[in-house]
Amino acid sequence: MTLRDRHLQRLRTETFDTLIVGGGINGAVAAASLAGRGANVAVIDRGDFANFTSQASSNLVWGGFKYLENYELPLVFKLCRSRNQLMKAYPDNIKQIGFYATLDQTSPYKPWFAGLGSLGYWIIGMFGTKRPRVLSTDHIEREEPAIDTSNALGGIEYYDGILVDNDARFVFSFVRGAIDTGAAAANYVEMLSAERSGGRWTARLRDVDTGDEFTATARTIVNAAGPFVDEVNNEWGLTTEHRIVYSKGIHLIVPRLTTTEHHKVLAFFDDSGRLFYVIPMGRRSVIGTTDTRVDTPFTEVTDDDIDFLLDQINARMDLDAPLSRADIIAERCGVRPLVVKRSSGDQSDVDWTKLSRKHAIETDHARGVVTVFGGKLTDCINVGEEIADEIEALGVPLEPDLHTWYGEPAEATRDEFYRQARLMHLDQYRTKADTEPLTDRLWRRYGRRAFAMLEAIREDPTMAEDIMGSADYLRVELHAAARTEMVTRLEDFMRRRSKIDLVVHDDDIRDSAGLAEVAEILFAADAERRLAEYFGGPDEIPAAVRAGLSPVDPI
Ligand SMILES: Cc1cc2nc3c(=O)[nH]c(=O)nc-3n(C[C@H](O)[C@H](O)[C@H](O)COP(=O)(O)OP(=O)(O)OC[C@H]3O[C@@H](n4cnc5c(N)ncnc54)[C@H](O)[C@@H]3O)c2cc1C
């Protein structure tokens, strides 16, 4: 029985204190905080965990320097506090990073003024990062020759945090944490409807993977459906003070644009005076984002979006050749669920980019529903804590919050891992020169679960081999993913547990015989079906991948 099957079984049979609808960051932290405080909780998502907005972010853990433009000081203060708390709790997963902003004649601020702003930001951020600095044009030319300084007046450098892996994996770490403390969790389970009677909810659910329908019961519900919270509430006739509007944002992933040593986020003002970034992602750069009002959560990257970002970059960077569509390795696209009061009308006359990024939580005490509107990855600990408080107020008894439901393992556990890895010379297994040491990678990705990987490699050194030439994944990681990471479809692994789909060219994926082994480890006898699903049909499986599949035993 797979991990998912076991959890589906629990959904069918147990009565939960809380059923959480939506496994993006808000649903994941709700599950982790409630389970960590002793509630019997279930979390479901109709796609994979983090399949929607929470896989489309900029991967930044930040106080929102740009929100100072709207004088949102309390929001910036709160987000900086959350940023500091997260960076402290996840020292290996969230790293401090410099934001290197170049200002030219067309920028809305002069460097001295931006320098004052960055000092204010640092102070509001309670000195939680390195001190900002003002940059001369000479500094910029020397430190990052890829920036075009022909029109530059100077710049600033200030600091925030970045998720070293990716947003979706960070979300999954909370789901995994919730499972470890007793939660039931299942991806590809949709809530179709729910009814309340006798003080409990009966939800009609559908296993999206098989089409099976079944029911689950719970005393309370957390609606964490992100851009779909209003739709879910409408379903059971619940009216709220707030509602969601959507702002679309895209990113383009291209080969690294900056020099290797310059591991910083580049920041520029675009032609409309809005900040956009070039964000490092391993050997790649991520360009974005945009901020466009849309009326639907279902969006895609358009030709205009691409042209806009490429033009902005080519006008501000001194690249060997102008960046073109052919350089794009992958795209990310999502909608920010922004919160507005229903009483504020349709907001058509409002400057969309100035709408607040605050979250709101509303509780319907009569019906036992908590709804989370909006939010940011950066604010996730607060959201988890606030939801737990609301659930407790609905009568679910919780243990005191010892703040153990988030964060990396203790320093002493980390030291022991590094000691064991050193004794077995783990880093010498690394075959690619320009990748990080394996010890750092395994510890960051798996924490305590990485100890079992050391043992597996000691027993069988082939477990430390790279499984796909173009991706940084060891065989042992695949075996662990198959057992513990609820990978239901191949895309879950390629796009969310790992970021292979984002950083490896499509052609390299299609040419990879190793992908067949990936699928066989993850799905055993179901590998070919899952490969066909990933490539869009049985006939679409590339020859190189098909050739890697193990021959089927004649019966
Ligand atoms: C372009 C962009 C850049 C961003 N950059 C940053 C950043 O750098 N830093 C930061 O802190 N924040 C950033 N954000 C904001 C952040 O990503 C979002 O606020 C956050 O991911 C929202 O999470 P969520 O859980 O509310 O929604 P989602 O991640 O969308 O999760 C909701 C889930 O509910 C599920 N669902 C819906 N209906 C049902 C149903 N009936 N049954 C079961 N499941 C259901 C969906 O499948 C979905 O997975 C960015 C957002 C965007 C769009």
Side-chain angles (χ1 to χ4, degrees), residues 131-157:
R131 195 190 165 105
R133 59 181 180 140
V134 176
L135 306 166
S136 67
T137 309
D138 282 353
H139 260 117
I140 300 175
E141 267 167 19
R142 223 177 21 251
E143 293 178 11
E144 183 45 273
I147 297 174
D148 181 355
T149 49
S150 47
N151 286 322
L153 299 174
I156 56 164
E157 182 173 25

Side-chain angles (χ1 to χ4, degrees), residues 26 80 101 128 148 214 228 246 336 348 429 479 485 499 545:
N26 287 343
C80 281
D148 181 355
F214 58 99
F228 305 96
Y246 316 112
R336 302 171 187 84
S348 51
Y429 287 93
H479 283 281
E485 295 194 347
K499 51 178 191 277
V545 176

Side-chain angles (χ1 to χ4, degrees), residues 20-29 43-62 66-67 79 86 99 161 163 167 171 186 188-193 204-206 208 223-229 231-232 235 244 247-251 274 277 279 288-291 332-338 357 359 372-380 383:
I20 300 164
V21 182
I25 187 66
N26 287 343
V29 289
V43 55
I44 55 165
D45 198 294
R46 66 181 168 197
D48 186 23
F49 304 113
N51 78 91
F52 212 75
T53 322
S54 299
Q55 68 170 3
S57 83
S58 304
N59 285 313
L60 298 172
V61 174
W62 54 356
K66 60 184 177 185
Y67 307 147
L79 286 176
L86 270 185
F99 278 61
L163 287 164
D167 41 16
V171 170
Y188 297 96
V189 173
E190 180 171 24
M191 195 193 70
L192 299 173
S193 62
R204 199 158 61 83
L205 308 181
R206 187 171 72 99
V208 175
N223 176 358
F228 305 96
V229 283
E231 195 179 287
V232 169
E235 174 66 38
I244 288 294
S247 153
K248 173 180 146 185
I250 75 145
H251 293 94
R274 188 181 176 278
Y277 307 98
I279 303 164
T289 170
T290 53
D291 203 336
R332 290 158 76 96
C333 182
V335 290
R336 302 171 187 84
L338 305 180
R357 268 54 175 165
H359 70 264
V372 201
F373 298 88
K376 297 193 76 66
L377 290 156
T378 307
D379 214 13
C380 63
V383 170

Side-chain angles (χ1 to χ4, degrees), residues 209-499:
D209 205 43
T210 59
D212 288 351
E213 290 189 17
F214 58 99
T215 56
T217 51
R219 293 167 63 191
T220 59
I221 287 190
V222 172
N223 176 358
F228 305 96
V229 283
D230 294 323
E231 195 179 287
V232 169
N233 280 341
N234 288 343
E235 174 66 38
W236 50 54
L238 194 139
T239 44
T240 50
E241 192 189 331
H242 297 90
R243 68 183 177 93
I244 288 294
V245 294
Y246 316 112
S247 153
K248 173 180 146 185
I250 75 145
H251 293 94
L252 303 178
I253 299 172
V254 297
R256 182 160 47 208
L257 300 181
T258 54
T259 42
T260 319
E261 310 74 42
H262 197 254
H263 187 77
K264 295 178 194 290
V265 175
L266 306 187
F268 303 101
F269 282 99
D270 68 21
D271 291 346
S272 65
R274 188 181 176 278
L275 273 170
F276 77 103
Y277 307 98
V278 176
I279 303 164
M281 184 184 263
R283 285 163 291 202
R284 308 297 182 207
S285 289
V286 184
I287 308 169
T289 170
T290 53
D291 203 336
T292 325
R293 178 180 184 159
V294 286
D295 295 325
T296 163
F298 300 103
T299 52
E300 55 186 32
V301 178
T302 63
D303 287 347
D304 285 351
D305 294 329
I306 295 178
D307 290 343
F308 177 76
L309 280 184
L310 293 181
D311 287 350
Q312 301 303 313
I313 277 297
N314 287 326
R316 287 161 183 83
M317 291 194 73
D318 204 1
L319 303 170
D320 292 342
L323 204 63
S324 73
R325 278 163 192 267
D327 297 308
I328 299 171
I329 298 164
E331 300 165 350
R332 290 158 76 96
C333 182
V335 290
R336 302 171 187 84
L338 305 180
V339 197
V340 294
K341 290 232 167 121
R342 278 186 198 280
S343 53
S344 60
D346 77 348
Q347 302 280 325
S348 51
D349 51 347
V350 169
D351 177 354
W352 214 239
T353 60
K354 294 202 163 50
L355 279 183
S356 176
R357 268 54 175 165
K358 284 180 207 154
H359 70 264
I361 295 186
E362 274 189 56
T363 302
D364 186 315
H365 289 267
R367 306 178 72 181
V369 178
V370 177
T371 305
V372 201
F373 298 88
K376 297 193 76 66
L377 290 156
T378 307
D379 214 13
C380 63
I381 307 266
N382 285 333
V383 170
E385 288 177 349
E386 288 169 32
I387 292 174
D389 289 346
E390 295 299 316
I391 290 293
E392 196 170 26
L394 288 176
V396 174
L398 295 182
E399 294 165 7
D401 190 356
L402 301 177
H403 308 288
T404 46
W405 59 270
Y406 59 87
E408 292 170 7
E411 190 70 29
T413 316
R414 183 184 192 277
D415 289 348
E416 176 56 20
F417 177 79
Y418 272 73
R419 193 182 75 86
Q420 289 191 21
R422 195 177 58 246
L423 290 176
M424 64 187 275
H425 307 293
L426 178 70
D427 291 337
Q428 288 176 16
Y429 287 93
R430 182 174 66 161
T431 49
K432 290 181 209 147
D434 59 344
T435 53
E436 66 183 326
L438 285 178
T439 311
D440 294 347
R441 192 168 100 194
L442 293 188
W443 175 255
R444 186 184 65 247
R445 285 184 185 164
Y446 306 100
R448 270 188 214 91
R449 284 189 291 141
F451 281 99
M453 293 183 180
L454 296 187
E455 201 177 320
I457 294 170
R458 281 191 294 256
E459 275 175 20
D460 175 3
T462 65
M463 283 289 168
E465 286 172 3
D466 273 325
I467 199 158
M468 282 173 71
S470 43
D472 301 333
Y473 255 80
L474 305 183
R475 187 168 284 114
V476 72
E477 297 183 76
L478 261 300
H479 283 281
R483 272 195 322 276
T484 62
E485 295 194 347
M486 207 176 283
V487 177
T488 303
R489 298 188 178 173
L490 186 53
E491 191 206 323
D492 305 343
F493 174 73
M494 298 292 281
R495 172 67 176 82
R496 286 173 288 275
R497 304 301 177 277
S498 81
K499 51 178 191 277

